[in-house]
Amino acid sequence: MIRIICLLIGYVCGLFQTAFIYGKMNGIDIRDYGSHNAGTTNALRVLGTKAGLIVFFGDVLKCVIAVTIVRFAFGPAHPEMRYLYMIYAAAGVILGHNFPFYLHFRGGKGIAATAGLILSFHPYFIPVGAVLFFVTFAVTHYVSLGSLLVYAGFMIELVVLGQMGIFETSQPILNEIYIVGAFLTIMAYWKHRENIKRLIHGEERRTYLFKKNKEEIK
């Protein structure tokens, strides 16, 4: 029952569609432009660097809030389950972000929300995630490639740290944490399937923070 509650808390937080809301404040539906995705990269390309940063921090924050709520609501009474409940909350946020019911389930790809999971789940995940994304982005300017590597790194680190005893819980609970992590990883790769095809064929679009890469809004 608590697992479902954690998912619902996360899903409700995930429904705050930062890119969609910011786009509407600027008179557009962000999903009608660029990649038709309600996320950070598309906001950056369509509305500029300021918009991209606002959307990124908004989507990160909603996951941090959901995970923090669950940590303090259920963690003290169930310390051996706290990381499981936290990853369920994060999964709810990512599902809410990717599939918001009030936008006909057309949302984003969940990467900024995943950054919120990495920031709030355990400090050990932050350095690896930051290095994988920012080094990849700095070298290639492919947001998608950096995002996919972050997820691969997160999944590997989740299992390694879990088996090292960092989460202080039993193996059955660890296995459930791994299953939720694997589900999020598979979903991220599925949401990026077109990006993966373009990366393979050398057709993926590069993104720049401080160069003009905005799409003209007509």
Side-chain angles (χ1 to χ4, degrees):
M1 184 62 182
I2 294 179
R3 292 170 174 81
I4 295 173
I5 293 172
C6 293
L7 272 172
L8 289 175
I9 290 172
Y11 189 81
V12 170
C13 290
L15 292 177
F16 186 85
Q17 284 287 328
T18 317
F20 177 78
I21 294 169
Y22 191 91
K24 284 296 184 181
M25 290 171 61
N26 286 271
I28 67 166
D29 184 337
I30 192 72
R31 300 170 303 162
D32 292 336
Y33 299 89
S35 64
H36 308 289
N37 178 62
T40 297
T41 304
N42 202 34
L44 173 67
R45 290 172 177 168
V46 175
L47 294 169
T49 301
K50 177 183 176 182
L53 292 174
I54 289 172
V55 170
F56 175 76
F57 285 114
D59 288 345
V60 168
L61 184 60
K62 66 189 181 187
C63 193
V64 171
I65 289 172
V67 171
T68 302
I69 289 172
V70 166
R71 180 197 294 267
F72 288 104
F74 303 114
H78 306 277
E80 76 287 356
M81 303 282 282
R82 66 185 184 277
Y83 287 104
L84 179 64
Y85 293 155
M86 287 158 60
I87 201 168
Y88 268 111
V93 174
I94 294 166
L95 287 170
H97 176 80
N98 290 356
F99 308 106
F101 72 89
Y102 68 98
L103 295 179
H104 306 289
F105 303 99
R106 287 180 57 212
K109 296 181 180 177
I111 299 304
T114 301
L117 164 61
I118 290 171
L119 285 172
S120 56
F121 195 64
H122 195 287
Y124 284 176
F125 288 89
I126 298 174
V128 174
V131 169
L132 282 173
F133 181 81
F134 288 110
V135 171
T136 302
F137 179 71
V139 172
T140 69
H141 295 287
Y142 290 138
V143 174
S144 57
L145 180 59
S147 302
L148 292 169
L149 289 177
V150 166
Y151 251 111
F154 173 75
M155 190 63 224
I156 293 169
E157 197 172 9
L158 192 68
V159 174
V160 170
L161 292 179
Q163 295 308 122
M164 289 173 60
I166 295 297
F167 304 136
E168 300 178 339
T169 191
S170 64
Q171 191 62 49
I173 299 302
L174 284 175
N175 292 339
E176 192 172 350
I177 291 174
Y178 303 156
I179 290 170
V180 177
F183 167 75
L184 294 177
T185 302
I186 292 168
M187 182 168 62
Y189 275 73
W190 180 78
K191 292 287 284 185
H192 283 81
R193 61 195 182 279
E194 295 301 323
N195 302 86
I196 293 171
K197 291 178 184 177
R198 290 193 295 270
L199 284 167
I200 291 172
H201 293 98
E203 299 171 351
E204 180 70 329
R205 180 176 174 179
R206 299 178 192 269
T207 301
Y208 301 90
L209 283 178
F210 303 110
K211 291 183 180 180
K212 185 177 180 180
N213 54 167
K214 289 176 63 177
E215 175 177 304
E216 183 180 356
I217 298 174
K218 300 179 180 178

Short mmCIF file of all heavy atoms in Angstrom, two decimals, residues 94-143:
data_model
loop_
_atom_site.label_atom_id
_atom_site.label_comp_id
_atom_site.label_asym_id
_atom_site.label_seq_id
_atom_site.Cartn_x
_atom_site.Cartn_y
_atom_site.Cartn_z
N ILE A 94 8.63 10.54 -12.66
CA ILE A 94 9.04 10.35 -14.05
C ILE A 94 7.86 9.90 -14.91
O ILE A 94 7.68 10.37 -16.04
CB ILE A 94 10.21 9.37 -14.13
CG1 ILE A 94 11.44 9.98 -13.44
CG2 ILE A 94 10.55 9.02 -15.58
CD1 ILE A 94 12.56 9.01 -13.16
N LEU A 95 7.01 9.04 -14.36
CA LEU A 95 5.80 8.63 -15.08
C LEU A 95 4.85 9.81 -15.28
O LEU A 95 4.27 9.99 -16.36
CB LEU A 95 5.10 7.50 -14.33
CG LEU A 95 5.77 6.13 -14.40
CD1 LEU A 95 5.11 5.17 -13.41
CD2 LEU A 95 5.70 5.56 -15.81
N GLY A 96 4.70 10.63 -14.23
CA GLY A 96 3.85 11.80 -14.34
C GLY A 96 4.38 12.81 -15.34
O GLY A 96 3.62 13.46 -16.06
N HIS A 97 5.70 12.94 -15.37
CA HIS A 97 6.33 13.86 -16.32
C HIS A 97 6.20 13.35 -17.75
O HIS A 97 5.89 14.11 -18.66
CB HIS A 97 7.81 14.02 -15.97
CG HIS A 97 8.57 14.87 -16.94
ND1 HIS A 97 8.54 16.25 -16.91
CD2 HIS A 97 9.36 14.54 -17.99
CE1 HIS A 97 9.29 16.72 -17.91
NE2 HIS A 97 9.79 15.70 -18.56
N ASN A 98 6.46 12.08 -17.94
CA ASN A 98 6.43 11.49 -19.29
C ASN A 98 5.01 11.30 -19.82
O ASN A 98 4.77 11.46 -21.02
CB ASN A 98 7.13 10.14 -19.29
CG ASN A 98 8.62 10.25 -19.10
OD1 ASN A 98 9.18 11.34 -19.02
ND2 ASN A 98 9.29 9.11 -18.99
N PHE A 99 4.09 10.96 -18.91
CA PHE A 99 2.72 10.61 -19.33
C PHE A 99 1.68 11.36 -18.50
O PHE A 99 0.90 10.73 -17.76
CB PHE A 99 2.52 9.10 -19.22
CG PHE A 99 3.59 8.29 -19.90
CD1 PHE A 99 4.56 7.62 -19.17
CD2 PHE A 99 3.63 8.19 -21.29
CE1 PHE A 99 5.55 6.87 -19.79
CE2 PHE A 99 4.61 7.45 -21.93
CZ PHE A 99 5.57 6.78 -21.18
N PRO A 100 1.61 12.69 -18.62
CA PRO A 100 0.62 13.45 -17.85
C PRO A 100 -0.78 13.26 -18.44
O PRO A 100 -0.99 13.49 -19.63
CB PRO A 100 1.09 14.90 -18.03
CG PRO A 100 1.83 14.90 -19.34
CD PRO A 100 2.46 13.55 -19.47
N PHE A 101 -1.71 12.82 -17.61
CA PHE A 101 -3.04 12.48 -18.13
C PHE A 101 -3.74 13.68 -18.74
O PHE A 101 -4.47 13.56 -19.72
CB PHE A 101 -3.90 11.87 -17.01
CG PHE A 101 -4.36 12.86 -15.97
CD1 PHE A 101 -5.55 13.56 -16.13
CD2 PHE A 101 -3.60 13.12 -14.84
CE1 PHE A 101 -5.99 14.47 -15.18
CE2 PHE A 101 -4.01 14.04 -13.89
CZ PHE A 101 -5.21 14.72 -14.06
N TYR A 102 -3.52 14.89 -18.17
CA TYR A 102 -4.25 16.06 -18.64
C TYR A 102 -3.67 16.63 -19.94
O TYR A 102 -4.25 17.53 -20.54
CB TYR A 102 -4.29 17.14 -17.56
CG TYR A 102 -2.96 17.78 -17.23
CD1 TYR A 102 -2.59 19.01 -17.79
CD2 TYR A 102 -2.08 17.17 -16.35
CE1 TYR A 102 -1.38 19.60 -17.48
CE2 TYR A 102 -0.87 17.76 -16.04
CZ TYR A 102 -0.53 18.96 -16.60
OH TYR A 102 0.68 19.55 -16.29
N LEU A 103 -2.53 16.10 -20.39
CA LEU A 103 -1.96 16.48 -21.67
C LEU A 103 -1.99 15.30 -22.64
O LEU A 103 -1.17 15.20 -23.54
CB LEU A 103 -0.51 16.96 -21.49
CG LEU A 103 -0.33 18.24 -20.66
CD1 LEU A 103 1.15 18.58 -20.52
CD2 LEU A 103 -1.08 19.41 -21.29
N HIS A 104 -2.98 14.42 -22.42
CA HIS A 104 -3.16 13.25 -23.28
C HIS A 104 -1.91 12.37 -23.29
O HIS A 104 -1.56 11.77 -24.31
CB HIS A 104 -3.54 13.66 -24.70
CG HIS A 104 -4.75 14.57 -24.75
ND1 HIS A 104 -6.02 14.12 -24.48
CD2 HIS A 104 -4.85 15.89 -25.03
CE1 HIS A 104 -6.86 15.13 -24.60
NE2 HIS A 104 -6.19 16.21 -24.92
N PHE A 105 -1.22 12.34 -22.13
CA PHE A 105 -0.06 11.47 -21.91
C PHE A 105 1.12 11.83 -22.81
O PHE A 105 1.99 11.00 -23.05
CB PHE A 105 -0.45 10.00 -22.08
CG PHE A 105 -1.57 9.58 -21.18
CD1 PHE A 105 -2.88 9.50 -21.64
CD2 PHE A 105 -1.33 9.30 -19.84
CE1 PHE A 105 -3.92 9.14 -20.80
CE2 PHE A 105 -2.36 8.93 -18.98
CZ PHE A 105 -3.66 8.86 -19.47
N ARG A 106 1.16 13.08 -23.28
CA ARG A 106 2.28 13.57 -24.09
C ARG A 106 3.12 14.52 -23.25
O ARG A 106 2.82 15.70 -23.13
CB ARG A 106 1.77 14.31 -25.33
CG ARG A 106 1.19 13.42 -26.40
CD ARG A 106 0.72 14.26 -27.58
NE ARG A 106 1.81 15.07 -28.11
CZ ARG A 106 1.63 16.28 -28.65
NH1 ARG A 106 0.43 16.83 -28.70
NH2 ARG A 106 2.67 16.95 -29.13
N GLY A 107 4.17 14.00 -22.63
CA GLY A 107 5.02 14.82 -21.79
C GLY A 107 6.45 14.85 -22.28
O GLY A 107 6.72 15.04 -23.47
N GLY A 108 7.39 14.65 -21.36
CA GLY A 108 8.80 14.70 -21.71
C GLY A 108 9.43 13.32 -21.70
O GLY A 108 8.74 12.30 -21.85
N LYS A 109 10.74 13.30 -21.50
CA LYS A 109 11.48 12.03 -21.49
C LYS A 109 12.04 11.69 -20.12
O LYS A 109 12.67 10.66 -19.94
CB LYS A 109 12.60 12.09 -22.54
CG LYS A 109 12.08 12.22 -23.96
CD LYS A 109 13.22 12.25 -24.97
CE LYS A 109 12.67 12.39 -26.39
NZ LYS A 109 13.75 12.49 -27.40
N GLY A 110 11.86 12.59 -19.15
CA GLY A 110 12.17 12.26 -17.77
C GLY A 110 13.60 12.40 -17.33
O GLY A 110 13.95 11.98 -16.22
N ILE A 111 14.46 13.02 -18.14
CA ILE A 111 15.88 13.07 -17.78
C ILE A 111 16.15 14.09 -16.66
O ILE A 111 16.89 13.80 -15.72
CB ILE A 111 16.74 13.37 -19.01
CG1 ILE A 111 16.57 12.25 -20.05
CG2 ILE A 111 18.21 13.50 -18.62
CD1 ILE A 111 16.87 10.87 -19.56
N ALA A 112 15.56 15.27 -16.76
CA ALA A 112 15.75 16.26 -15.69
C ALA A 112 15.16 15.75 -14.39
O ALA A 112 15.74 15.94 -13.31
CB ALA A 112 15.12 17.59 -16.08
N ALA A 113 14.01 15.07 -14.48
CA ALA A 113 13.42 14.48 -13.27
C ALA A 113 14.35 13.41 -12.70
O ALA A 113 14.48 13.27 -11.48
CB ALA A 113 12.06 13.88 -13.59
N THR A 114 15.01 12.66 -13.58
CA THR A 114 15.98 11.66 -13.12
C THR A 114 17.16 12.32 -12.43
O THR A 114 17.71 11.78 -11.47
CB THR A 114 16.46 10.81 -14.31
OG1 THR A 114 15.33 10.17 -14.91
CG2 THR A 114 17.47 9.76 -13.86
N ALA A 115 17.55 13.50 -12.92
CA ALA A 115 18.61 14.25 -12.23
C ALA A 115 18.18 14.56 -10.80
O ALA A 115 18.99 14.52 -9.86
CB ALA A 115 18.93 15.54 -12.99
N GLY A 116 16.88 14.84 -10.62
CA GLY A 116 16.36 15.06 -9.26
C GLY A 116 16.46 13.82 -8.42
O GLY A 116 16.76 13.88 -7.21
N LEU A 117 16.22 12.65 -9.03
CA LEU A 117 16.39 11.38 -8.31
C LEU A 117 17.84 11.20 -7.88
O LEU A 117 18.12 10.85 -6.73
CB LEU A 117 15.96 10.23 -9.22
CG LEU A 117 16.40 8.81 -8.82
CD1 LEU A 117 15.83 8.45 -7.46
CD2 LEU A 117 15.97 7.79 -9.87
N ILE A 118 18.76 11.45 -8.79
CA ILE A 118 20.18 11.27 -8.48
C ILE A 118 20.62 12.21 -7.36
O ILE A 118 21.37 11.83 -6.46
CB ILE A 118 21.03 11.50 -9.75
CG1 ILE A 118 20.81 10.34 -10.73
CG2 ILE A 118 22.51 11.64 -9.42
CD1 ILE A 118 21.42 10.54 -12.09
N LEU A 119 20.12 13.44 -7.39
CA LEU A 119 20.49 14.42 -6.35
C LEU A 119 19.94 14.06 -4.98
O LEU A 119 20.57 14.36 -3.96
CB LEU A 119 20.00 15.80 -6.75
CG LEU A 119 20.77 16.52 -7.87
CD1 LEU A 119 20.03 17.79 -8.28
CD2 LEU A 119 22.18 16.86 -7.40
N SER A 120 18.76 13.44 -4.94
CA SER A 120 18.08 13.24 -3.66
C SER A 120 18.14 11.80 -3.14
O SER A 120 17.77 11.56 -1.99
CB SER A 120 16.60 13.65 -3.79
OG SER A 120 15.96 12.95 -4.84
N PHE A 121 18.61 10.87 -3.96
CA PHE A 121 18.57 9.46 -3.56
C PHE A 121 19.71 9.11 -2.61
O PHE A 121 19.49 8.65 -1.49
CB PHE A 121 18.63 8.58 -4.81
CG PHE A 121 18.25 7.14 -4.56
CD1 PHE A 121 16.98 6.81 -4.16
CD2 PHE A 121 19.17 6.12 -4.76
CE1 PHE A 121 16.61 5.49 -3.92
CE2 PHE A 121 18.84 4.80 -4.53
CZ PHE A 121 17.55 4.48 -4.11
N HIS A 122 20.96 9.32 -3.07
CA HIS A 122 22.13 9.07 -2.23
C HIS A 122 23.30 9.89 -2.79
O HIS A 122 23.49 9.93 -4.01
CB HIS A 122 22.49 7.59 -2.21
CG HIS A 122 23.44 7.21 -1.12
ND1 HIS A 122 24.77 7.55 -1.16
CD2 HIS A 122 23.25 6.52 0.04
CE1 HIS A 122 25.37 7.09 -0.07
NE2 HIS A 122 24.47 6.47 0.68
N PRO A 123 24.09 10.53 -1.91
CA PRO A 123 25.17 11.39 -2.39
C PRO A 123 26.17 10.70 -3.32
O PRO A 123 26.78 11.35 -4.17
CB PRO A 123 25.86 11.84 -1.09
CG PRO A 123 24.82 11.72 -0.04
CD PRO A 123 23.97 10.55 -0.45
N TYR A 124 26.34 9.39 -3.18
CA TYR A 124 27.32 8.68 -4.01
C TYR A 124 26.98 8.72 -5.51
O TYR A 124 27.85 8.55 -6.35
CB TYR A 124 27.43 7.22 -3.56
CG TYR A 124 28.20 7.00 -2.28
CD1 TYR A 124 28.31 5.73 -1.72
CD2 TYR A 124 28.81 8.06 -1.62
CE1 TYR A 124 29.01 5.52 -0.54
CE2 TYR A 124 29.51 7.86 -0.44
CZ TYR A 124 29.60 6.60 0.10
OH TYR A 124 30.29 6.40 1.27
N PHE A 125 25.70 8.94 -5.82
CA PHE A 125 25.30 8.94 -7.22
C PHE A 125 25.63 10.26 -7.93
O PHE A 125 25.71 10.29 -9.16
CB PHE A 125 23.79 8.68 -7.34
CG PHE A 125 23.40 7.27 -7.04
CD1 PHE A 125 23.09 6.88 -5.74
CD2 PHE A 125 23.35 6.32 -8.04
CE1 PHE A 125 22.73 5.58 -5.45
CE2 PHE A 125 23.00 5.01 -7.77
CZ PHE A 125 22.68 4.63 -6.48
N ILE A 126 25.80 11.32 -7.17
CA ILE A 126 25.94 12.64 -7.77
C ILE A 126 27.22 12.80 -8.60
O ILE A 126 27.14 13.24 -9.76
CB ILE A 126 25.85 13.74 -6.68
CG1 ILE A 126 24.48 13.68 -6.01
CG2 ILE A 126 26.09 15.13 -7.30
CD1 ILE A 126 24.34 14.61 -4.82
N PRO A 127 28.41 12.45 -8.08
CA PRO A 127 29.63 12.66 -8.88
C PRO A 127 29.63 11.87 -10.19
O PRO A 127 30.00 12.41 -11.24
CB PRO A 127 30.75 12.20 -7.95
CG PRO A 127 30.18 12.25 -6.58
CD PRO A 127 28.73 11.93 -6.74
N VAL A 128 29.22 10.62 -10.13
CA VAL A 128 29.23 9.78 -11.33
C VAL A 128 28.26 10.33 -12.37
O VAL A 128 28.59 10.47 -13.55
CB VAL A 128 28.89 8.32 -11.00
CG1 VAL A 128 28.75 7.49 -12.27
CG2 VAL A 128 29.96 7.72 -10.09
N GLY A 129 27.05 10.67 -11.93
CA GLY A 129 26.06 11.21 -12.85
C GLY A 129 26.51 12.51 -13.48
O GLY A 129 26.35 12.72 -14.69
N ALA A 130 27.09 13.40 -12.66
CA ALA A 130 27.55 14.69 -13.17
C ALA A 130 28.67 14.54 -14.18
O ALA A 130 28.67 15.17 -15.24
CB ALA A 130 28.01 15.57 -12.00
N VAL A 131 29.63 13.68 -13.87
CA VAL A 131 30.77 13.47 -14.79
C VAL A 131 30.29 12.86 -16.10
O VAL A 131 30.67 13.32 -17.19
CB VAL A 131 31.84 12.57 -14.13
CG1 VAL A 131 32.86 12.13 -15.17
CG2 VAL A 131 32.53 13.33 -13.00
N LEU A 132 29.45 11.83 -16.01
CA LEU A 132 28.98 11.16 -17.23
C LEU A 132 28.24 12.14 -18.14
O LEU A 132 28.46 12.15 -19.36
CB LEU A 132 28.06 9.99 -16.87
CG LEU A 132 28.74 8.71 -16.39
CD1 LEU A 132 27.72 7.70 -15.91
CD2 LEU A 132 29.60 8.10 -17.49
N PHE A 133 27.38 12.97 -17.56
CA PHE A 133 26.59 13.86 -18.41
C PHE A 133 27.42 15.03 -18.93
O PHE A 133 27.48 15.28 -20.14
CB PHE A 133 25.36 14.40 -17.69
CG PHE A 133 24.54 15.31 -18.57
CD1 PHE A 133 23.67 14.77 -19.50
CD2 PHE A 133 24.68 16.68 -18.51
CE1 PHE A 133 22.94 15.59 -20.35
CE2 PHE A 133 23.96 17.51 -19.35
CZ PHE A 133 23.09 16.96 -20.28
N PHE A 134 28.07 15.76 -18.03
CA PHE A 134 28.70 17.01 -18.43
C PHE A 134 29.94 16.79 -19.30
O PHE A 134 30.19 17.56 -20.22
CB PHE A 134 29.03 17.87 -17.21
CG PHE A 134 27.80 18.45 -16.57
CD1 PHE A 134 27.36 18.02 -15.33
CD2 PHE A 134 27.05 19.43 -17.23
CE1 PHE A 134 26.22 18.55 -14.75
CE2 PHE A 134 25.91 19.97 -16.67
CZ PHE A 134 25.49 19.52 -15.42
N VAL A 135 30.70 15.73 -19.03
CA VAL A 135 31.85 15.44 -19.89
C VAL A 135 31.37 15.03 -21.27
O VAL A 135 31.89 15.50 -22.30
CB VAL A 135 32.74 14.35 -19.26
CG1 VAL A 135 33.80 13.89 -20.26
CG2 VAL A 135 33.40 14.87 -17.99
N THR A 136 30.36 14.16 -21.32
CA THR A 136 29.82 13.74 -22.62
C THR A 136 29.26 14.92 -23.39
O THR A 136 29.52 15.08 -24.59
CB THR A 136 28.72 12.68 -22.42
OG1 THR A 136 29.26 11.56 -21.71
CG2 THR A 136 28.17 12.20 -23.76
N PHE A 137 28.50 15.77 -22.70
CA PHE A 137 27.91 16.93 -23.37
C PHE A 137 28.98 17.92 -23.84
O PHE A 137 28.90 18.45 -24.95
CB PHE A 137 26.93 17.63 -22.43
CG PHE A 137 26.29 18.85 -23.03
CD1 PHE A 137 25.35 18.73 -24.04
CD2 PHE A 137 26.63 20.12 -22.60
CE1 PHE A 137 24.76 19.86 -24.61
CE2 PHE A 137 26.05 21.25 -23.15
CZ PHE A 137 25.11 21.12 -24.17
N ALA A 138 29.98 18.15 -23.00
CA ALA A 138 31.04 19.09 -23.37
C ALA A 138 31.82 18.61 -24.59
O ALA A 138 32.23 19.42 -25.42
CB ALA A 138 32.00 19.28 -22.18
N VAL A 139 32.02 17.31 -24.70
CA VAL A 139 32.81 16.75 -25.81
C VAL A 139 31.98 16.62 -27.09
O VAL A 139 32.45 16.94 -28.18
CB VAL A 139 33.39 15.38 -25.42
CG1 VAL A 139 34.05 14.71 -26.62
CG2 VAL A 139 34.41 15.55 -24.29
N THR A 140 30.72 16.17 -26.96
CA THR A 140 29.92 15.84 -28.14
C THR A 140 28.78 16.82 -28.42
O THR A 140 28.31 16.88 -29.55
CB THR A 140 29.29 14.44 -27.99
OG1 THR A 140 28.29 14.47 -26.96
CG2 THR A 140 30.35 13.41 -27.64
N HIS A 141 28.30 17.51 -27.39
CA HIS A 141 27.10 18.37 -27.47
C HIS A 141 25.85 17.57 -27.81
O HIS A 141 24.87 18.12 -28.31
CB HIS A 141 27.30 19.51 -28.48
CG HIS A 141 28.36 20.48 -28.07
ND1 HIS A 141 28.17 21.39 -27.05
CD2 HIS A 141 29.63 20.64 -28.50
CE1 HIS A 141 29.27 22.11 -26.89
NE2 HIS A 141 30.18 21.65 -27.76
N TYR A 142 25.87 16.29 -27.48
CA TYR A 142 24.68 15.46 -27.62
C TYR A 142 24.04 15.28 -26.24
O TYR A 142 24.55 14.55 -25.40
CB TYR A 142 25.03 14.08 -28.19
CG TYR A 142 25.45 14.07 -29.64
CD1 TYR A 142 26.51 13.27 -30.06
CD2 TYR A 142 24.77 14.82 -30.60
CE1 TYR A 142 26.90 13.23 -31.39
CE2 TYR A 142 25.16 14.79 -31.93
CZ TYR A 142 26.22 14.00 -32.32
OH TYR A 142 26.60 13.97 -33.64
N VAL A 143 22.91 15.94 -26.01
CA VAL A 143 22.21 15.78 -24.74
C VAL A 143 21.72 14.34 -24.58
O VAL A 143 21.80 13.76 -23.49
CB VAL A 143 21.02 16.75 -24.65
CG1 VAL A 143 20.19 16.49 -23.40
CG2 VAL A 143 21.51 18.20 -24.66
#
